[in-house]
Amino acid sequence: MENYRSLKSPAWIIILCALLASCGGSIDRDPLVDKDGKPIPVPDAYDRWLIIQSTTPPAGPVSLRPTLEISFYDYINPQTFLTYGADDLQSGGILNTGDAPDSKTRKAIRWTPRRNLEPDFRYTLALAGTSLRSVTNSPLLPINRPTVYVADPSVPITVEPALPHATWADVDAILENRCTNCHRDPAWQLNPLTHESLTQQPSLQSDFPLVRAFDPSSSYLMHKILPDYPVRRFTVQPPPWTDDNAPLSPQELATIESWILLGAKP
């Protein structure tokens, strides 16, 4: 009992702290590095990695001009994906760059090379993990087993389907059906959600415009109507406290996104 009391004395605690300090005192782990020894970004405390959900096609033979869809569990920050070398197919020293517009509705990017792949070459999908971020600034989880494709001349080249021809009339019908009870009621004093009040107009809640033509990712309207978009003020629209409180359907979201992507024309 006497020995137990002595362990609780202030003098013993001071000695123990001094011993720990002499041993370094820090329990920080060494930073993660890639194969070249460069540091790998990691999420902040209580955040999560940006993780790839699926890649279509998953692996194996592809045409000489494939279209790859890479979907994520979270929304990506498009500005971090536009850096040089953010998305490539690599085969040894051969590098194929491409175009990869992102879809907010699908949380995905669709990558198409700018030139044909070399027949029978093996290509590795390379994403720039040091720069690619989610909209909440979480970095991409390092990929231990990258997706590998084989350029097969026998696989037919698929034609990228044309975007749905979404017009303002299509968008207006959605807004009229789901939003106008509040937005066009003078008592609420809200944005009436007309073409003139949306396109290229500033938002009172964000630095983004409400609708930026050709750029759904930078249009705050998309941020407000996507049910689980994490970076916005206040609640999703339509709000959960309204009578018709169901989120917009994937088809409705895709219609609005396509209208913006095609130029948000009247």
Side-chain angles (χ1 to χ4, degrees):
M1 183 63 67
E2 185 64 31
N3 289 338
Y4 173 73
R5 291 195 186 96
S6 65
L7 288 175
K8 296 177 65 178
S9 67
W12 175 254
I13 294 175
I14 294 173
I15 294 173
L16 181 59
C17 292
L19 289 173
L20 289 174
S22 66
C23 295
S26 174
I27 57 174
D28 293 340
R29 297 181 178 179
D30 293 334
L32 293 175
V33 296
D34 60 18
K35 58 183 178 61
D36 298 321
K38 297 180 180 179
I40 297 174
V42 297
D44 293 331
Y46 305 109
D47 284 344
R48 62 181 182 178
W49 295 94
L50 174 62
I51 301 175
I52 295 175
Q53 183 178 34
S54 64
T55 304
T56 306
V62 293
S63 71
L64 301 186
R65 186 67 72 90
T67 295
L68 311 177
E69 178 164 300
I70 308 160
S71 64
F72 301 84
Y73 284 101
D74 296 292
Y75 297 96
I76 65 169
N77 181 340
Q79 297 305 314
T80 66
F81 198 77
L82 295 177
T83 57
Y84 178 78
D87 56 314
D88 301 306
L89 283 182
Q90 298 179 354
S91 180
I94 297 177
L95 180 69
N96 275 62
T97 59
D99 299 308
D102 73 300
S103 168
K104 281 289 180 282
T105 304
R106 299 193 306 272
K107 297 182 184 176
I109 55 175
R110 294 178 68 85
W111 185 91
T112 305
R114 297 190 180 100
R115 58 184 173 85
N116 284 1
L117 306 183
E118 296 294 331
D120 303 318
F121 277 40
R122 291 169 58 88
Y123 287 87
T124 300
L125 176 63
L127 297 177
T130 57
S131 62
L132 186 60
R133 300 273 177 154
S134 72
V135 293
T136 58
N137 204 40
S138 292
L140 180 69
L141 179 70
I143 304 171
N144 295 324
R145 299 182 63 182
T147 306
V148 177
Y149 298 100
V150 178
D152 188 344
S154 66
V155 177
I157 295 177
T158 57
V159 178
E160 181 71 6
L163 287 171
H165 186 64
T167 65
W168 166 248
D170 300 321
V171 174
D172 188 41
I174 295 172
L175 300 178
E176 181 74 31
N177 183 46
R178 301 299 310 278
C179 308
T180 55
N181 283 346
C182 294
H183 275 267
R184 295 180 191 173
D185 183 344
W188 285 94
Q189 297 183 347
L190 299 173
N191 187 314
L193 301 183
T194 62
H195 185 272
E196 294 75 17
S197 70
L198 287 174
T199 52
Q200 304 303 124
Q201 297 301 316
S203 167
L204 299 179
Q205 301 177 8
S206 167
D207 293 333
F208 293 103
L210 292 173
V211 170
R212 175 176 286 166
F214 305 105
D215 190 359
S217 294
S218 298
S219 298
Y220 192 60
L221 175 64
M222 291 300 303
H223 303 179
K224 290 293 286 186
I225 62 179
L226 289 164
D228 59 343
Y229 199 77
V231 184
R232 63 172 167 234
R233 293 190 65 192
F234 309 122
T235 187
V236 63
Q237 300 295 311
W241 43 263
T242 57
D243 294 334
D244 186 11
N245 58 10
L248 298 186
S249 70
Q251 181 59 46
E252 291 171 325
L253 292 169
T255 297
I256 296 173
E257 183 175 25
S258 297
W259 169 70
I260 298 174
L261 194 60
L262 291 170
K265 298 176 182 178

